[in-house]
């Protein structure tokens, strides 16, 4: 089991070395956000589902970044960036349509959940320092 998890972690690091720290921040953001929603928001279930959907999209967008492919793989940078952007935009639109038409999640909470990617990107250098110190 430990060997499998190490292989998965190595593949994630191969995609982008900063992803593990960003995933930790996304998880903390999700937990704190859900606690705040449960404690303070009157329409708890719709907001919680929307927030969760936003954070899940954020994780998808984190993994779907084509920067490593462009920098190290020699991919056509403009085409790769445009295609990656269009795929992320399409997934976001599908998410919004599902949340809206199925009436299962709040769109504003989904947008707030999507901000976890920005929070993770800004806090990632600090988590990398913590992970590096703990790994030694």
């Amino acid at each position: 089991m430990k060997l499998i998890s190490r292989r998965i972690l190595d593949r994630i690091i191969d995609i982008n070395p900063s992803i593990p720290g960003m995933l930790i921040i996304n998880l903390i953001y999700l937990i704190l956000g859900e606690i705040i929603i449960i404690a303070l928001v009157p329409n708890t279930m719709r907001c919680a589902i929307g927030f969760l959907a936003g954070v899940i999209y954020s994780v998808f967008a984190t993994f779907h970044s084509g920067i490593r492919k462009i920098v190290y793989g020699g991919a056509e940078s403009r085409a790769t960036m445009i295609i990656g952007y269009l795929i992320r935009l399409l997934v976001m639109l599908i998410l919004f349509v599902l949340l809206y038409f199925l009436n299962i999640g709040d769109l504003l909470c989904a947008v707030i959940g999507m901000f976890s990617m920005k929070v993770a990107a800004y806090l990632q250098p600090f988590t990398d320092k913590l992970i590096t110190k703990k790994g030694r």
Side-chain angles (χ1 to χ4, degrees):
M1 184 68 177
K2 191 173 184 179
L3 180 64
I4 294 172
S5 62
R6 185 64 203 172
R7 279 191 206 159
I8 293 171
L9 183 60
D10 287 342
R11 290 190 72 187
I12 290 172
I13 291 171
D14 188 46
I15 294 170
N16 188 338
S18 61
I19 288 179
M22 291 179 72
L23 292 177
I24 292 169
I25 295 170
N26 280 327
L27 181 63
I28 293 169
Y29 186 88
L30 175 66
I31 292 169
L32 291 176
E34 294 291 351
I35 289 171
I36 291 170
I37 288 170
I38 290 170
L40 301 176
V41 176
N43 193 356
T44 305
M45 188 57 83
R46 284 195 63 215
C47 287
I49 291 172
F51 186 76
L52 174 66
V55 173
I56 289 172
Y57 172 80
S58 172
V59 170
F60 162 76
T62 300
F63 276 101
H64 193 264
S65 175
I67 292 174
R68 182 160 180 87
K69 192 186 315 179
I70 293 168
V71 173
Y72 297 111
E76 175 68 33
S77 60
R78 176 175 266 167
T80 302
M81 292 299 280
I82 291 172
I83 291 170
Y85 172 75
L86 291 174
I87 290 171
R88 288 189 301 274
L89 182 64
L90 180 66
V91 170
M92 182 179 65
L93 290 174
I94 290 170
L95 175 71
F96 282 161
V97 166
L98 288 174
L99 290 175
Y100 182 76
F101 285 114
L102 297 178
N103 200 25
I104 57 173
D106 187 72
L107 296 179
L108 179 61
C109 291
V111 170
I112 294 169
M114 288 178 187
F115 276 107
S116 70
M117 184 168 49
K118 296 297 180 190
V119 172
Y122 288 121
L123 295 178
Q124 179 268 328
F126 301 110
T127 57
D128 275 358
K129 287 180 185 175
L130 291 174
I131 291 171
T132 306
K133 284 182 183 179
K134 197 164 196 134
R136 290 181 187 171

